[in-house]
Amino acid sequence: MRIALDAMGGDHGPELLIRGALSAVREREDIEIVLLGPRELLEKHLAAIALDSDPMARISIEHAPETVSMHESPVDAMRKKKQSTIMVGFDMVRNKRADAVVSAGNSGATLAAAIKKLGRLKGVARPGIASLFPTLKKPVTIMDIGANVDCRAQHLFQFAIMASACSSILLGIENPRIGLLSIGEETGKGNALVKETYSMLSQSKLNFIGNVEGRDVYQGDVDVVICDGFVGNITLKVSEGLAEAVMKMLRIEIMKTWRAKIGYLLIRKALGNFRKRIDYAEYGGAPLLGINGTGIISHGKSNSTAIKNAILVAGEMVRHGINDTISTSLDKYSVK
Amino acid sequence: MRIALDAMGGDHGPELLIRGALSAVREREDIEIVLLGPRELLEKHLAAIALDSDPMARISIEHAPETVSMHESPVDAMRKKKQSTIMVGFDMVRNKRADAVVSAGNSGATLAAAIKKLGRLKGVARPGIASLFPTLKKPVTIMDIGANVDCRAQHLFQFAIMASACSSILLGIENPRIGLLSIGEETGKGNALVKETYSMLSQSKLNFIGNVEGRDVYQGDVDVVICDGFVGNITLKVSEGLAEAVMKMLRIEIMKTWRAKIGYLLIRKALGNFRKRIDYAEYGGAPLLGINGTGIISHGKSNSTAIKNAILVAGEMVRHGINDTISTSLDKYSVK
């Protein structure tokens, strides 16, 4: 299996990304990595990292001279940079030279490149981005987290199908419980979009458990949460912001007294485990669903563990044929 | 100043609410409380609580035989329970027998009762609910957090005006920085509603700083955050759910080793201060804005401190004439 990694994406530069790739090939023998980026630059980075020979043989370079920056408009990027890492990567998938692309770069541009090069999966109205959120129990799969800001009920209905397939394959959940993100659990609560989607989901044979509230997301009593990309993105970013602020505020309180500082030393390891538990890095990245191929968007801040995990997640999606599962589900569950 | 307290609202019953009222009258000599509820029942509760005579003289009862339960439909409640605590309370405000109502009961029914009895403030298209969120710096005022799930740009524009007035009065911020909640800081990011609102806000003389993302909410670099009630409610509930889950996960990690358990004992006080810092109870409640009077909706889980603070917040709003401020701002800032 060959996974193409955007070696120029993300906030930390190629070296960290290459280290992530290296960890991934060390962990899974059936994975090969193609690094996407300017060949000379990447060769230098590869040479600088001391490698044992075996996994090295499973890392190659595909020349892609252009890079899309974080704040570039996806439309401009597609028009002007035909040789960007992500365009070259999804081209490889289209030509069967790679099975998936992983990028920690500009997420809008990555999505746009995927749709442009691979097209939508047959029957899918709107591809979208799913994400795995940590909870008190198993992670919950949320879709859409930002690809589609203005949606119709039909789109949300298909997100439910696609995110369920993703939850089954990545977390081994057999018949994922699907919740619709709203502002009250009762039927009839929510905005116009939610009310219409509720009606579609409850008439289908999907394992729809009804509306869920923001509070429920982190309880782990639902496996898949459906929302439009505007609401999903805000949910994601609010969570990140709060988690960050909470850690800072906790630190401020602890640093106020010597007693608490000593206590801190004793719980430091537990705090580290806790951080790991709520860290997106552990989940690797956000799968693109509904495209005619496989792609993962990782956080710009990803460390090498996050990149490794994103590659492994891409591997799982390819290995288990996520798109076949989605196509079968679309046929099975769609309301005619 | 007379503030009517729904003594039957909330999850914990009248006694806790009465204790909150008592703390409020002890703290502010210019506040009188009218307890709303069945007279006999409340008299019993009052008698059971040992009181010194002075503040007691500033607590009275207004008979309201009916109670709206937490999950009752607001429409049903208004039609069937004309003598409910909240209907009686807002009637008192209408008849100038009270200055404000505080309720920790059914928030939808409270809002509906307020609009029914008091009407909208002149020029306001949609009254809404604001809320104060803890951040790393000063609290941020968010509006709307659930009253209006389907909004137009004009509604969000007015939320900006009303929430700014609220932020000025309750937090003493002179010219609050207003942000529009979206999924990217750049102009043109967001859904159709956000784009239209962005254009209105940027053409106005309001202190509009542009789009803010979910992450920014908790940084404290913006004073007022505007969104529709669907997005606002999800932001609020996701935050509550995450904060709760985070405390639980932290506890689980700490309880795994003896070392960390001892550490926990040393930081317990710091953890308590931290909890207090992120606790909604410290902020008392969510002001209803845009009605022809004053009302506060408190969380159903409110403890007596939260109730006391909600009463004090209501007092501040009345004392500083929040509705005059809103009316003046509507005249000053509205785009003709």
Side-chain angles (χ1 to χ4, degrees):
Chain A
M1 185 181 322
R2 298 184 88 199
I3 293 168
L5 174 67
D6 176 1
M8 306 301 288
D11 303 343
H12 301 302
E15 194 180 317
L16 178 145
L17 297 163
I18 295 172
R19 287 192 189 282
L22 200 59
S23 305
V25 293
R26 280 195 181 127
E27 200 158 315
R28 294 279 325 198
E29 285 196 359
D30 61 346
I31 288 182
E32 282 177 40
I33 300 288
V34 183
L35 301 173
L36 305 163
R39 184 177 298 277
E40 274 187 40
L41 180 81
L42 295 183
E43 274 170 354
K44 264 184 217 160
H45 278 288
L46 271 176
I49 300 172
L51 301 172
D52 37 59
S53 59
D54 168 49
M56 192 53 200
R58 284 186 280 123
I59 297 186
S60 59
I61 295 171
E62 180 81 8
H63 183 58
E66 292 170 315
T67 304
V68 178
S69 68
M70 279 314 221
H71 291 289
E72 213 164 328
S73 130
V75 176
D76 282 357
M78 289 230 292
R79 206 165 34 206
K80 293 179 193 158
K81 296 184 174 170
K82 309 245 184 251
Q83 291 301 308
S84 71
T85 48
I86 43 180
M87 291 289 258
V88 170
F90 284 111
D91 238 348
M92 290 184 77
V93 176
R94 184 167 66 176
N95 300 327
K96 314 275 183 221
R97 294 181 52 227
D99 297 291
V101 173
V102 171
S103 174
N106 183 320
S107 58
T110 304
L111 178 69
I115 295 173
K116 164 103 181 159
K117 292 290 181 185
L118 305 178
R120 291 170 294 158
L121 200 59
K122 192 175 167 240
V124 170
R126 294 268 196 101
I129 308 172
S131 180
L132 275 62
F133 280 39
T135 79
L136 287 167
K137 297 167 191 167
K138 278 203 173 185
V140 61
T141 306
I142 304 200
M143 184 173 181
D144 175 39
I145 60 151
N148 305 284
V149 292
D150 291 297
C151 290
R152 285 184 291 119
Q154 172 64 15
H155 306 146
L156 267 67
F157 183 80
Q158 290 194 340
F159 296 164
I161 290 173
M162 295 192 276
S164 289
C166 187
S167 172
S168 298
I169 284 173
L170 296 181
L171 302 167
I173 299 171
E174 207 165 315
N175 193 17
R177 294 160 298 178
I178 300 164
L180 180 62
L181 190 57
S182 188
I183 63 168
E185 287 175 11
E186 306 84 353
T187 316
K189 287 266 182 165
N191 57 16
L193 173 66
V194 163
K195 285 178 197 168
E196 199 187 333
T197 308
Y198 188 102
S199 147
M200 284 186 76
L201 284 168
S202 53
Q203 282 166 43
S204 77
K205 285 180 184 147
L206 286 162
N207 188 12
F208 177 52
I209 62 166
N211 287 345
V212 293
E213 289 194 75
R215 293 181 67 94
D216 305 323
V217 170
Y218 291 100
Q219 299 303 311
D221 297 327
V222 57
D223 301 308
V224 167
V225 170
I226 297 307
C227 54
D228 70 51
F230 186 81
V231 169
N233 193 270
I234 283 174
T235 296
L236 178 73
K237 299 281 178 66
V238 162
S239 300
E240 281 183 19
L242 178 60
E244 217 171 87
V246 154
M247 291 308 285
K248 276 188 198 162
M249 288 192 234
L250 185 57
R251 212 186 145 76
I252 290 168
E253 287 305 331
I254 286 173
M255 289 303 146
K256 276 183 184 165
T257 67
W258 278 104
R259 188 188 160 92
K261 276 187 202 171
I262 293 164
Y264 171 72
L265 294 177
L266 296 170
I267 64 159
R268 200 161 48 176
K269 194 155 169 279
L271 271 183
N273 289 338
F274 161 68
R275 271 200 122 121
K276 204 169 156 179
R277 206 164 153 167
I278 62 166
D279 193 357
Y280 57 86
E282 294 304 308
Y283 303 96
L288 290 179
L289 300 177
I291 53 166
N292 213 344
T294 299
I296 298 274
I297 293 175
S298 289
H299 203 293
K301 289 187 178 165
S302 292
N303 59 21
S304 60
T305 307
I307 296 302
K308 179 195 77 175
N309 287 341
I311 293 168
L312 298 181
V313 165
E316 285 297 294
M317 288 169 69
V318 172
R319 203 170 288 121
H320 292 96
I322 183 140
N323 286 339
D324 290 341
T325 309
I326 290 176
S327 295
T328 310
S329 296
L330 280 172
D331 283 344
K332 184 170 164 193
Y333 293 114
S334 284
V335 185
K336 309 284 167 177
Chain B
M1 186 183 319
R2 298 185 88 200
I3 293 167
L5 174 68
D6 176 0
M8 306 302 287
D11 304 342
H12 301 302
E15 194 180 316
L16 177 146
L17 297 163
I18 296 172
R19 288 192 188 282
L22 202 60
S23 305
V25 293
R26 279 193 182 129
E27 199 158 315
R28 294 280 324 199
E29 285 196 358
D30 61 346
I31 288 182
E32 281 178 39
I33 299 290
V34 184
L35 301 173
L36 306 162
R39 183 177 300 278
E40 274 187 43
L41 180 80
L42 295 183
E43 274 170 354
K44 263 183 218 160
H45 278 289
L46 271 176
I49 300 172
L51 302 170
D52 38 58
S53 59
D54 167 49
M56 192 51 201
R58 286 186 279 124
I59 297 186
S60 59
I61 294 169
E62 180 82 8
H63 183 59
E66 293 170 315
T67 304
V68 178
S69 67
M70 278 315 220
H71 292 288
E72 213 165 329
S73 129
V75 177
D76 283 357
M78 290 232 289
R79 206 165 33 206
K80 292 179 192 157
K81 296 184 173 170
K82 310 247 185 246
Q83 291 301 307
S84 70
T85 48
I86 43 179
M87 292 290 257
V88 169
F90 284 111
D91 239 348
M92 290 185 77
V93 175
R94 183 166 66 175
N95 301 327
K96 314 274 183 221
R97 294 180 53 227
D99 298 290
V101 173
V102 171
S103 175
N106 183 320
S107 58
T110 305
L111 178 69
I115 295 173
K116 164 104 181 158
K117 293 289 181 184
L118 305 178
R120 291 170 294 159
L121 201 59
K122 192 174 166 240
V124 170
R126 294 269 195 99
I129 308 171
S131 180
L132 275 62
F133 281 38
T135 79
L136 287 167
K137 297 167 190 166
K138 277 204 175 186
V140 61
T141 306
I142 303 200
M143 183 174 184
D144 176 36
I145 59 150
N148 305 283
V149 293
D150 291 297
C151 290
R152 286 186 291 118
Q154 173 65 13
H155 305 146
L156 267 69
F157 183 80
Q158 290 195 340
F159 296 164
I161 291 174
M162 294 192 277
S164 289
C166 187
S167 172
S168 298
I169 284 172
L170 297 181
L171 302 167
I173 299 171
E174 207 164 313
N175 192 17
R177 293 159 299 179
I178 301 164
L180 180 62
L181 190 57
S182 188
I183 62 166
E185 288 176 8
E186 306 84 353
T187 316
K189 287 267 182 165
N191 56 15
L193 173 65
V194 163
K195 286 178 196 168
E196 200 186 334
T197 309
Y198 187 101
S199 145
M200 283 186 76
L201 284 168
S202 53
Q203 282 167 42
S204 77
K205 285 179 182 147
L206 285 162
N207 187 12
F208 177 53
I209 63 166
N211 287 344
V212 293
E213 289 193 75
R215 293 181 67 93
D216 306 323
V217 170
Y218 292 100
Q219 298 303 311
D221 297 326
V222 57
D223 301 307
V224 167
V225 170
I226 298 306
C227 53
D228 70 51
F230 186 82
V231 168
N233 193 270
I234 283 175
T235 296
L236 179 73
K237 300 281 177 64
V238 162
S239 299
E240 280 182 20
L242 178 61
E244 218 170 86
V246 153
M247 292 306 286
K248 276 188 198 160
M249 290 192 233
L250 185 58
R251 212 185 144 76
I252 289 167
E253 288 304 331
I254 286 173
M255 289 304 146
K256 277 183 184 165
T257 67
W258 278 103
R259 188 187 159 92
K261 276 187 201 171
I262 294 165
Y264 172 72
L265 294 177
L266 296 170
I267 64 158
R268 199 160 51 175
K269 195 157 169 277
L271 271 183
N273 289 338
F274 161 69
R275 269 201 124 122
K276 204 169 156 179
R277 206 166 153 164
I278 62 166
D279 193 358
Y280 58 85
E282 293 304 308
Y283 303 95
L288 291 179
L289 300 177
I291 53 166
N292 213 343
T294 300
I296 298 273
I297 292 175
S298 289
H299 202 294
K301 289 188 177 164
S302 292
N303 58 22
S304 61
T305 308
I307 296 302
K308 178 196 77 174
N309 287 341
I311 294 168
L312 298 181
V313 165
E316 285 298 294
M317 288 169 70
V318 172
R319 203 171 288 121
H320 292 95
I322 183 141
N323 286 338
D324 291 342
T325 309
I326 290 175
S327 296
T328 310
S329 296
L330 281 172
D331 283 344
K332 185 171 163 191
Y333 293 113
S334 285
V335 186
K336 307 285 170 182

